[in-house]
Amino acid sequence: MVNWPNRLLVPLRHNDMPELPEVETIARNLQTVLSGRIILAAELYWERSLIVPSPSQFRRLVPSTEIVSLSRRAKYLDILLAFPHSFRKPTRHLIFHLGMSGDLLTVLGGYQVGQHDRLLLRLSEDAILVFNDPRKFGRVWLIDDPGVIFSRLGPEPLSDDFTPEQLFSAFHRRRRQLKPLLLDQSFLAGLGNIYTDEALFLARLHPLRCSDTLTGEETAQLHAAIRQVLEEGIAYHGASIDWVYRGGEFQNHFRVYGRIGKPCPRCGTTIERTLIGRRGTYFCPLCQRRQD
DNA sequence: CTAAAATCCTGGTGGC
DNA sequence: TGCCACCAGGATTTTA
């Protein structure tokens, strides 16, 4: 038997604003720790985190289920549960969206419930899964069919469905500014504020550029840039910013995000920040000149 | 169709 | 030092 450290099974904490790479990191870390464990009890400390079913149904349904596997779709964490004693429905999905400040951590042994803990699952072998979410934007579902949530989402950026041709066609079916469009989860699923700015910088495109003016060449570069920044993010185990300690390293490799007043890594021009929608947007005014 | 605004939240920040 | 208005930010909903 492994001699676990006293508290944390997964010592990593993750970042604010979990985007695709951060959720991917969480899914990979939790997979080995949680798979095969039985959920013994659910403790809900902020009922509005739970979208469906009702809190009482949730507390009744979850105990005795087994955690089969974890996966990620866009920014959602999908935990497959098996109901060993159910004849009608052998599996269900426990789905988390971490919102802006949500985090999942696992603890072994005694645990003092924290100020921002919203949901706590007691697991077999004295393990605990904690959903901590200071800003309460995170959401939890327990549902039979995850398609209810996932069917609204656009393509997965790292999947084969996402191609330069598909992106070009989608860009030209609409007439929208690039940044809000890339943040639209029904257009492309998984990008958030950080990775959108980083991808637009790599592709040398202005965030307000109108989508239907992109050439095939520009679209191909943006497609490659999106994949590159997401893959980098995953390789660095996500990004860690703000006041909470987290485990990722990608924040040390941002090219523009949060780098207002600092030199562009490509041309040395001072990075600027502007507001688009309600999002802080960082870009290089020289590399990313408007061209429409 | 697109877009802007409002909504939900709290910890951090800046002004005084 | 304390108080407080203000703000970020993902996704959804409402309004234009």
Side-chain angles (χ1 to χ4, degrees):
Chain A
M1 182 65 188
V2 178
N3 191 12
W4 295 102
N6 186 28
R7 255 176 54 83
L8 293 177
L9 292 179
V10 176
L12 298 181
R13 288 175 66 84
H14 303 275
N15 77 329
D16 269 15
M17 294 177 285
E19 304 180 28
L20 187 154
E22 288 73 31
V23 180
E24 178 70 25
T25 301
I26 292 171
R28 290 181 185 181
N29 287 338
L30 293 180
Q31 169 80 38
T32 50
V33 176
L34 294 182
S35 291
R37 290 190 190 264
I38 309 295
I39 303 179
L40 304 175
E43 298 170 13
L44 200 48
Y45 297 102
W46 180 252
E47 295 192 343
R48 288 164 66 182
S49 295
L50 180 64
I51 307 304
V52 286
S54 69
S56 58
Q57 284 252 318
F58 185 83
R59 279 186 278 256
R60 185 172 61 76
L61 284 170
V62 162
S64 86
T65 61
E66 179 185 346
I67 296 174
V68 177
S69 62
L70 282 78
S71 58
R72 176 195 60 75
R73 169 77 169 101
K75 304 177 191 174
Y76 295 84
L77 184 72
D78 182 359
I79 303 179
L80 182 63
L81 302 181
F83 284 62
H85 304 306
S86 167
F87 296 98
R88 192 184 67 81
K89 192 69 191 177
T91 62
R92 280 202 178 89
H93 295 255
L94 177 62
I95 295 177
F96 288 88
H97 191 297
L98 301 177
M100 291 203 38
S101 59
D103 195 11
L104 285 164
L105 54 155
T106 49
V107 181
L108 191 70
Y111 179 72
Q112 174 94 35
V113 175
Q115 184 185 2
H116 304 302
D117 292 348
R118 308 303 179 198
L119 172 65
L120 190 150
L121 297 177
R122 297 199 179 272
L123 310 176
S124 54
E125 301 165 84
D126 241 2
I128 299 170
L129 177 65
V130 181
F131 173 54
N132 181 275
D133 183 24
R135 295 186 187 176
K136 299 180 174 174
F137 280 14
R139 294 171 171 209
V140 183
W141 297 257
L142 179 67
I143 52 175
D144 292 353
D145 176 16
V148 173
I149 299 168
F150 298 159
S151 62
R152 300 177 187 180
L153 296 173
E156 193 69 27
L158 297 178
S159 79
D160 294 340
D161 298 342
F162 182 58
T163 65
E165 293 74 24
Q166 181 273 327
L167 185 60
F168 183 84
S169 158
F171 273 156
H172 284 256
R173 275 198 303 271
R174 315 201 192 191
R175 180 142 79 241
R176 292 185 61 188
Q177 298 166 334
L178 285 181
K179 169 124 184 184
L181 186 55
L182 292 175
L183 287 173
D184 183 340
Q185 301 297 297
S186 69
F187 180 81
L188 182 65
L191 290 182
N193 210 33
I194 293 171
Y195 292 91
T196 301
D197 282 4
E198 293 293 314
L200 287 171
F201 170 77
L202 273 187
R204 303 176 190 239
L205 292 167
H206 194 285
L208 292 178
R209 178 77 178 274
C210 191
S211 64
D212 70 347
T213 69
L214 262 68
T215 64
E217 176 71 17
E218 289 172 321
T219 305
Q221 290 192 354
L222 181 53
H223 175 271
I226 289 168
R227 287 198 161 169
Q228 182 181 333
V229 296
L230 292 175
E231 284 165 0
E232 284 178 357
I234 291 171
Y236 284 112
H237 308 293
S240 309
I241 57 174
D242 274 357
W243 69 98
V244 181
Y245 168 75
R246 309 285 180 153
E249 289 289 327
F250 190 55
Q251 71 281 2
N252 300 320
H253 303 272
F254 290 163
R255 294 170 177 89
V256 287
Y257 186 85
R259 299 191 67 248
I260 183 169
K262 294 180 179 169
C264 166
R266 200 157 45 205
C267 75
T269 301
T270 303
I271 300 296
E272 293 182 4
R273 179 186 189 270
T274 185
L275 223 45
I276 297 177
R278 283 176 95 84
R279 306 299 144 89
T281 299
Y282 301 87
F283 67 105
C284 171
L286 185 58
C287 292
Q288 296 170 268
R289 279 186 303 256
R290 286 197 75 165
Q291 291 168 15
D292 60 343

PDB file of all heavy atoms in Angstrom, chain A residues 189-218:
ATOM      1  N   ALA A 189     -15.215  25.335 -28.748  1.00  0.00           N
ATOM      2  CA  ALA A 189     -15.403  25.036 -27.329  1.00  0.00           C
ATOM      3  C   ALA A 189     -14.079  24.862 -26.600  1.00  0.00           C
ATOM      4  O   ALA A 189     -13.295  23.989 -26.956  1.00  0.00           O
ATOM      5  CB  ALA A 189     -16.251  23.774 -27.163  1.00  0.00           C
ATOM      6  N   GLY A 190     -13.847  25.693 -25.614  1.00  0.00           N
ATOM      7  CA  GLY A 190     -12.684  25.480 -24.758  1.00  0.00           C
ATOM      8  C   GLY A 190     -11.786  26.677 -24.565  1.00  0.00           C
ATOM      9  O   GLY A 190     -11.020  26.717 -23.606  1.00  0.00           O
ATOM     10  N   LEU A 191     -11.843  27.641 -25.494  1.00  0.00           N
ATOM     11  CA  LEU A 191     -11.005  28.821 -25.331  1.00  0.00           C
ATOM     12  C   LEU A 191     -11.617  29.765 -24.319  1.00  0.00           C
ATOM     13  O   LEU A 191     -12.828  29.953 -24.271  1.00  0.00           O
ATOM     14  CB  LEU A 191     -10.853  29.565 -26.662  1.00  0.00           C
ATOM     15  CG  LEU A 191     -10.030  28.910 -27.757  1.00  0.00           C
ATOM     16  CD1 LEU A 191      -9.971  29.825 -28.966  1.00  0.00           C
ATOM     17  CD2 LEU A 191      -8.635  28.582 -27.273  1.00  0.00           C
ATOM     18  N   GLY A 192     -10.767  30.398 -23.523  1.00  0.00           N
ATOM     19  CA  GLY A 192     -11.181  31.475 -22.635  1.00  0.00           C
ATOM     20  C   GLY A 192     -10.336  32.694 -22.932  1.00  0.00           C
ATOM     21  O   GLY A 192      -9.670  32.771 -23.974  1.00  0.00           O
ATOM     22  N   ASN A 193     -10.353  33.625 -22.019  1.00  0.00           N
ATOM     23  CA  ASN A 193      -9.720  34.915 -22.273  1.00  0.00           C
ATOM     24  C   ASN A 193      -8.214  34.811 -22.530  1.00  0.00           C
ATOM     25  O   ASN A 193      -7.682  35.462 -23.416  1.00  0.00           O
ATOM     26  CB  ASN A 193      -9.984  35.834 -21.075  1.00  0.00           C
ATOM     27  CG  ASN A 193     -10.038  37.284 -21.478  1.00  0.00           C
ATOM     28  OD1 ASN A 193     -10.468  37.612 -22.576  1.00  0.00           O
ATOM     29  ND2 ASN A 193      -9.577  38.147 -20.607  1.00  0.00           N
ATOM     30  N   ILE A 194      -7.538  33.984 -21.770  1.00  0.00           N
ATOM     31  CA  ILE A 194      -6.082  33.889 -21.894  1.00  0.00           C
ATOM     32  C   ILE A 194      -5.685  33.293 -23.240  1.00  0.00           C
ATOM     33  O   ILE A 194      -4.915  33.884 -24.009  1.00  0.00           O
ATOM     34  CB  ILE A 194      -5.500  33.017 -20.766  1.00  0.00           C
ATOM     35  CG1 ILE A 194      -5.685  33.706 -19.415  1.00  0.00           C
ATOM     36  CG2 ILE A 194      -4.021  32.724 -21.030  1.00  0.00           C
ATOM     37  CD1 ILE A 194      -5.330  32.839 -18.227  1.00  0.00           C
ATOM     38  N   TYR A 195      -6.206  32.123 -23.540  1.00  0.00           N
ATOM     39  CA  TYR A 195      -5.751  31.404 -24.725  1.00  0.00           C
ATOM     40  C   TYR A 195      -6.224  32.072 -26.009  1.00  0.00           C
ATOM     41  O   TYR A 195      -5.576  31.958 -27.048  1.00  0.00           O
ATOM     42  CB  TYR A 195      -6.166  29.934 -24.644  1.00  0.00           C
ATOM     43  CG  TYR A 195      -5.402  29.221 -23.538  1.00  0.00           C
ATOM     44  CD1 TYR A 195      -5.908  29.162 -22.245  1.00  0.00           C
ATOM     45  CD2 TYR A 195      -4.154  28.662 -23.774  1.00  0.00           C
ATOM     46  CE1 TYR A 195      -5.192  28.562 -21.222  1.00  0.00           C
ATOM     47  CE2 TYR A 195      -3.430  28.053 -22.764  1.00  0.00           C
ATOM     48  CZ  TYR A 195      -3.955  27.999 -21.483  1.00  0.00           C
ATOM     49  OH  TYR A 195      -3.240  27.413 -20.476  1.00  0.00           O
ATOM     50  N   THR A 196      -7.335  32.791 -25.942  1.00  0.00           N
ATOM     51  CA  THR A 196      -7.780  33.554 -27.110  1.00  0.00           C
ATOM     52  C   THR A 196      -6.790  34.665 -27.446  1.00  0.00           C
ATOM     53  O   THR A 196      -6.380  34.815 -28.601  1.00  0.00           O
ATOM     54  CB  THR A 196      -9.170  34.152 -26.851  1.00  0.00           C
ATOM     55  OG1 THR A 196     -10.090  33.095 -26.583  1.00  0.00           O
ATOM     56  CG2 THR A 196      -9.656  34.938 -28.045  1.00  0.00           C
ATOM     57  N   ASP A 197      -6.390  35.422 -26.437  1.00  0.00           N
ATOM     58  CA  ASP A 197      -5.420  36.488 -26.688  1.00  0.00           C
ATOM     59  C   ASP A 197      -4.095  35.922 -27.189  1.00  0.00           C
ATOM     60  O   ASP A 197      -3.478  36.488 -28.097  1.00  0.00           O
ATOM     61  CB  ASP A 197      -5.170  37.293 -25.405  1.00  0.00           C
ATOM     62  CG  ASP A 197      -6.294  38.280 -25.113  1.00  0.00           C
ATOM     63  OD1 ASP A 197      -7.287  38.281 -25.855  1.00  0.00           O
ATOM     64  OD2 ASP A 197      -6.177  39.038 -24.137  1.00  0.00           O
ATOM     65  N   GLU A 198      -3.673  34.833 -26.595  1.00  0.00           N
ATOM     66  CA  GLU A 198      -2.395  34.240 -27.000  1.00  0.00           C
ATOM     67  C   GLU A 198      -2.458  33.732 -28.442  1.00  0.00           C
ATOM     68  O   GLU A 198      -1.512  33.897 -29.213  1.00  0.00           O
ATOM     69  CB  GLU A 198      -2.028  33.102 -26.040  1.00  0.00           C
ATOM     70  CG  GLU A 198      -1.702  33.563 -24.621  1.00  0.00           C
ATOM     71  CD  GLU A 198      -0.417  34.387 -24.554  1.00  0.00           C
ATOM     72  OE1 GLU A 198       0.587  33.965 -25.158  1.00  0.00           O
ATOM     73  OE2 GLU A 198      -0.419  35.446 -23.916  1.00  0.00           O
ATOM     74  N   ALA A 199      -3.570  33.132 -28.810  1.00  0.00           N
ATOM     75  CA  ALA A 199      -3.704  32.598 -30.173  1.00  0.00           C
ATOM     76  C   ALA A 199      -3.765  33.729 -31.197  1.00  0.00           C
ATOM     77  O   ALA A 199      -3.132  33.664 -32.257  1.00  0.00           O
ATOM     78  CB  ALA A 199      -4.944  31.713 -30.272  1.00  0.00           C
ATOM     79  N   LEU A 200      -4.515  34.781 -30.889  1.00  0.00           N
ATOM     80  CA  LEU A 200      -4.608  35.903 -31.831  1.00  0.00           C
ATOM     81  C   LEU A 200      -3.251  36.579 -32.017  1.00  0.00           C
ATOM     82  O   LEU A 200      -2.899  37.000 -33.116  1.00  0.00           O
ATOM     83  CB  LEU A 200      -5.649  36.920 -31.334  1.00  0.00           C
ATOM     84  CG  LEU A 200      -7.105  36.467 -31.477  1.00  0.00           C
ATOM     85  CD1 LEU A 200      -8.045  37.430 -30.753  1.00  0.00           C
ATOM     86  CD2 LEU A 200      -7.497  36.356 -32.953  1.00  0.00           C
ATOM     87  N   PHE A 201      -2.492  36.632 -30.939  1.00  0.00           N
ATOM     88  CA  PHE A 201      -1.151  37.210 -31.070  1.00  0.00           C
ATOM     89  C   PHE A 201      -0.271  36.358 -31.988  1.00  0.00           C
ATOM     90  O   PHE A 201       0.373  36.880 -32.901  1.00  0.00           O
ATOM     91  CB  PHE A 201      -0.481  37.337 -29.699  1.00  0.00           C
ATOM     92  CG  PHE A 201       0.977  37.687 -29.794  1.00  0.00           C
ATOM     93  CD1 PHE A 201       1.369  38.989 -30.088  1.00  0.00           C
ATOM     94  CD2 PHE A 201       1.957  36.717 -29.637  1.00  0.00           C
ATOM     95  CE1 PHE A 201       2.721  39.315 -30.218  1.00  0.00           C
ATOM     96  CE2 PHE A 201       3.300  37.031 -29.765  1.00  0.00           C
ATOM     97  CZ  PHE A 201       3.688  38.332 -30.046  1.00  0.00           C
ATOM     98  N   LEU A 202      -0.255  35.063 -31.755  1.00  0.00           N
ATOM     99  CA  LEU A 202       0.579  34.188 -32.573  1.00  0.00           C
ATOM    100  C   LEU A 202       0.204  34.294 -34.049  1.00  0.00           C
ATOM    101  O   LEU A 202       1.060  34.242 -34.923  1.00  0.00           O
ATOM    102  CB  LEU A 202       0.432  32.736 -32.120  1.00  0.00           C
ATOM    103  CG  LEU A 202       1.329  32.244 -30.989  1.00  0.00           C
ATOM    104  CD1 LEU A 202       1.149  30.743 -30.827  1.00  0.00           C
ATOM    105  CD2 LEU A 202       2.791  32.576 -31.264  1.00  0.00           C
ATOM    106  N   ALA A 203      -1.105  34.442 -34.296  1.00  0.00           N
ATOM    107  CA  ALA A 203      -1.576  34.518 -35.685  1.00  0.00           C
ATOM    108  C   ALA A 203      -1.498  35.939 -36.238  1.00  0.00           C
ATOM    109  O   ALA A 203      -1.872  36.170 -37.391  1.00  0.00           O
ATOM    110  CB  ALA A 203      -3.008  33.993 -35.771  1.00  0.00           C
ATOM    111  N   ARG A 204      -1.059  36.889 -35.415  1.00  0.00           N
ATOM    112  CA  ARG A 204      -0.908  38.296 -35.835  1.00  0.00           C
ATOM    113  C   ARG A 204      -2.234  38.901 -36.271  1.00  0.00           C
ATOM    114  O   ARG A 204      -2.296  39.650 -37.257  1.00  0.00           O
ATOM    115  CB  ARG A 204       0.117  38.430 -36.966  1.00  0.00           C
ATOM    116  CG  ARG A 204       1.487  37.867 -36.608  1.00  0.00           C
ATOM    117  CD  ARG A 204       2.426  37.947 -37.805  1.00  0.00           C
ATOM    118  NE  ARG A 204       3.653  37.199 -37.556  1.00  0.00           N
ATOM    119  CZ  ARG A 204       4.868  37.747 -37.586  1.00  0.00           C
ATOM    120  NH1 ARG A 204       5.014  39.013 -37.844  1.00  0.00           N
ATOM    121  NH2 ARG A 204       5.927  36.992 -37.351  1.00  0.00           N
ATOM    122  N   LEU A 205      -3.288  38.572 -35.577  1.00  0.00           N
ATOM    123  CA  LEU A 205      -4.608  39.097 -35.949  1.00  0.00           C
ATOM    124  C   LEU A 205      -5.142  40.001 -34.851  1.00  0.00           C
ATOM    125  O   LEU A 205      -5.053  39.683 -33.659  1.00  0.00           O
ATOM    126  CB  LEU A 205      -5.581  37.935 -36.181  1.00  0.00           C
ATOM    127  CG  LEU A 205      -5.271  37.085 -37.417  1.00  0.00           C
ATOM    128  CD1 LEU A 205      -6.060  35.791 -37.387  1.00  0.00           C
ATOM    129  CD2 LEU A 205      -5.573  37.882 -38.690  1.00  0.00           C
ATOM    130  N   HIS A 206      -5.723  41.111 -35.265  1.00  0.00           N
ATOM    131  CA  HIS A 206      -6.319  42.049 -34.318  1.00  0.00           C
ATOM    132  C   HIS A 206      -7.596  41.443 -33.739  1.00  0.00           C
ATOM    133  O   HIS A 206      -8.402  40.866 -34.472  1.00  0.00           O
ATOM    134  CB  HIS A 206      -6.633  43.375 -35.021  1.00  0.00           C
ATOM    135  CG  HIS A 206      -6.941  44.490 -34.071  1.00  0.00           C
ATOM    136  ND1 HIS A 206      -8.138  44.583 -33.399  1.00  0.00           N
ATOM    137  CD2 HIS A 206      -6.193  45.553 -33.655  1.00  0.00           C
ATOM    138  CE1 HIS A 206      -8.120  45.665 -32.628  1.00  0.00           C
ATOM    139  NE2 HIS A 206      -6.959  46.268 -32.761  1.00  0.00           N
ATOM    140  N   PRO A 207      -7.794  41.569 -32.423  1.00  0.00           N
ATOM    141  CA  PRO A 207      -8.964  40.930 -31.798  1.00  0.00           C
ATOM    142  C   PRO A 207     -10.307  41.454 -32.296  1.00  0.00           C
ATOM    143  O   PRO A 207     -11.321  40.759 -32.160  1.00  0.00           O
ATOM    144  CB  PRO A 207      -8.786  41.218 -30.300  1.00  0.00           C
ATOM    145  CG  PRO A 207      -7.715  42.255 -30.201  1.00  0.00           C
ATOM    146  CD  PRO A 207      -6.877  42.142 -31.416  1.00  0.00           C
ATOM    147  N   LEU A 208     -10.324  42.647 -32.885  1.00  0.00           N
ATOM    148  CA  LEU A 208     -11.590  43.185 -33.391  1.00  0.00           C
ATOM    149  C   LEU A 208     -11.791  42.913 -34.882  1.00  0.00           C
ATOM    150  O   LEU A 208     -12.802  43.311 -35.457  1.00  0.00           O
ATOM    151  CB  LEU A 208     -11.660  44.703 -33.142  1.00  0.00           C
ATOM    152  CG  LEU A 208     -11.771  45.119 -31.675  1.00  0.00           C
ATOM    153  CD1 LEU A 208     -11.787  46.639 -31.547  1.00  0.00           C
ATOM    154  CD2 LEU A 208     -13.018  44.520 -31.033  1.00  0.00           C
ATOM    155  N   ARG A 209     -10.865  42.249 -35.496  1.00  0.00           N
ATOM    156  CA  ARG A 209     -10.976  41.909 -36.926  1.00  0.00           C
ATOM    157  C   ARG A 209     -12.270  41.137 -37.187  1.00  0.00           C
ATOM    158  O   ARG A 209     -12.653  40.252 -36.420  1.00  0.00           O
ATOM    159  CB  ARG A 209      -9.768  41.055 -37.303  1.00  0.00           C
ATOM    160  CG  ARG A 209      -9.728  40.566 -38.726  1.00  0.00           C
ATOM    161  CD  ARG A 209      -9.290  41.662 -39.688  1.00  0.00           C
ATOM    162  NE  ARG A 209      -9.223  41.092 -41.031  1.00  0.00           N
ATOM    163  CZ  ARG A 209      -8.159  40.463 -41.509  1.00  0.00           C
ATOM    164  NH1 ARG A 209      -7.058  40.357 -40.777  1.00  0.00           N
ATOM    165  NH2 ARG A 209      -8.186  39.950 -42.716  1.00  0.00           N
ATOM    166  N   CYS A 210     -12.915  41.496 -38.276  1.00  0.00           N
ATOM    167  CA  CYS A 210     -14.195  40.863 -38.601  1.00  0.00           C
ATOM    168  C   CYS A 210     -13.970  39.485 -39.230  1.00  0.00           C
ATOM    169  O   CYS A 210     -13.154  39.333 -40.150  1.00  0.00           O
ATOM    170  CB  CYS A 210     -14.968  41.768 -39.551  1.00  0.00           C
ATOM    171  SG  CYS A 210     -16.666  41.257 -39.759  1.00  0.00           S
ATOM    172  N   SER A 211     -14.711  38.493 -38.731  1.00  0.00           N
ATOM    173  CA  SER A 211     -14.412  37.097 -39.070  1.00  0.00           C
ATOM    174  C   SER A 211     -14.516  36.799 -40.564  1.00  0.00           C
ATOM    175  O   SER A 211     -13.773  35.976 -41.084  1.00  0.00           O
ATOM    176  CB  SER A 211     -15.352  36.159 -38.301  1.00  0.00           C
ATOM    177  OG  SER A 211     -16.701  36.348 -38.693  1.00  0.00           O
ATOM    178  N   ASP A 212     -15.418  37.469 -41.260  1.00  0.00           N
ATOM    179  CA  ASP A 212     -15.617  37.094 -42.673  1.00  0.00           C
ATOM    180  C   ASP A 212     -14.632  37.778 -43.614  1.00  0.00           C
ATOM    181  O   ASP A 212     -14.760  37.671 -44.829  1.00  0.00           O
ATOM    182  CB  ASP A 212     -17.060  37.334 -43.100  1.00  0.00           C
ATOM    183  CG  ASP A 212     -17.395  38.812 -43.202  1.00  0.00           C
ATOM    184  OD1 ASP A 212     -16.601  39.640 -42.722  1.00  0.00           O
ATOM    185  OD2 ASP A 212     -18.457  39.132 -43.755  1.00  0.00           O
ATOM    186  N   THR A 213     -13.660  38.484 -43.042  1.00  0.00           N
ATOM    187  CA  THR A 213     -12.631  39.092 -43.900  1.00  0.00           C
ATOM    188  C   THR A 213     -11.338  38.297 -43.898  1.00  0.00           C
ATOM    189  O   THR A 213     -10.386  38.663 -44.586  1.00  0.00           O
ATOM    190  CB  THR A 213     -12.311  40.533 -43.441  1.00  0.00           C
ATOM    191  OG1 THR A 213     -11.627  40.485 -42.177  1.00  0.00           O
ATOM    192  CG2 THR A 213     -13.565  41.365 -43.315  1.00  0.00           C
ATOM    193  N   LEU A 214     -11.291  37.216 -43.128  1.00  0.00           N
ATOM    194  CA  LEU A 214     -10.044  36.459 -43.054  1.00  0.00           C
ATOM    195  C   LEU A 214      -9.786  35.675 -44.330  1.00  0.00           C
ATOM    196  O   LEU A 214     -10.700  35.062 -44.892  1.00  0.00           O
ATOM    197  CB  LEU A 214     -10.054  35.496 -41.854  1.00  0.00           C
ATOM    198  CG  LEU A 214      -9.335  36.031 -40.608  1.00  0.00           C
ATOM    199  CD1 LEU A 214     -10.110  37.191 -40.022  1.00  0.00           C
ATOM    200  CD2 LEU A 214      -9.146  34.938 -39.590  1.00  0.00           C
ATOM    201  N   THR A 215      -8.537  35.695 -44.761  1.00  0.00           N
ATOM    202  CA  THR A 215      -8.159  34.876 -45.904  1.00  0.00           C
ATOM    203  C   THR A 215      -7.945  33.436 -45.448  1.00  0.00           C
ATOM    204  O   THR A 215      -7.871  33.158 -44.244  1.00  0.00           O
ATOM    205  CB  THR A 215      -6.842  35.387 -46.510  1.00  0.00           C
ATOM    206  OG1 THR A 215      -5.800  35.213 -45.526  1.00  0.00           O
ATOM    207  CG2 THR A 215      -6.934  36.859 -46.892  1.00  0.00           C
ATOM    208  N   GLY A 216      -7.843  32.556 -46.425  1.00  0.00           N
ATOM    209  CA  GLY A 216      -7.558  31.164 -46.092  1.00  0.00           C
ATOM    210  C   GLY A 216      -6.238  31.023 -45.368  1.00  0.00           C
ATOM    211  O   GLY A 216      -6.109  30.236 -44.423  1.00  0.00           O
ATOM    212  N   GLU A 217      -5.275  31.802 -45.807  1.00  0.00           N
ATOM    213  CA  GLU A 217      -3.950  31.770 -45.170  1.00  0.00           C
ATOM    214  C   GLU A 217      -4.018  32.215 -43.717  1.00  0.00           C
ATOM    215  O   GLU A 217      -3.486  31.565 -42.807  1.00  0.00           O
ATOM    216  CB  GLU A 217      -2.998  32.676 -45.965  1.00  0.00           C
ATOM    217  CG  GLU A 217      -1.619  32.837 -45.382  1.00  0.00           C
ATOM    218  CD  GLU A 217      -0.778  31.575 -45.505  1.00  0.00           C
ATOM    219  OE1 GLU A 217      -1.151  30.693 -46.337  1.00  0.00           O
ATOM    220  OE2 GLU A 217       0.227  31.466 -44.793  1.00  0.00           O
ATOM    221  N   GLU A 218      -4.721  33.328 -43.482  1.00  0.00           N
ATOM    222  CA  GLU A 218      -4.850  33.837 -42.111  1.00  0.00           C
ATOM    223  C   GLU A 218      -5.598  32.842 -41.236  1.00  0.00           C
ATOM    224  O   GLU A 218      -5.248  32.622 -40.064  1.00  0.00           O
ATOM    225  CB  GLU A 218      -5.578  35.181 -42.122  1.00  0.00           C
ATOM    226  CG  GLU A 218      -4.744  36.314 -42.691  1.00  0.00           C
ATOM    227  CD  GLU A 218      -5.548  37.586 -42.873  1.00  0.00           C
ATOM    228  OE1 GLU A 218      -6.734  37.498 -43.290  1.00  0.00           O
ATOM    229  OE2 GLU A 218      -5.005  38.666 -42.616  1.00  0.00           O
TER     230      GLU A 218
END
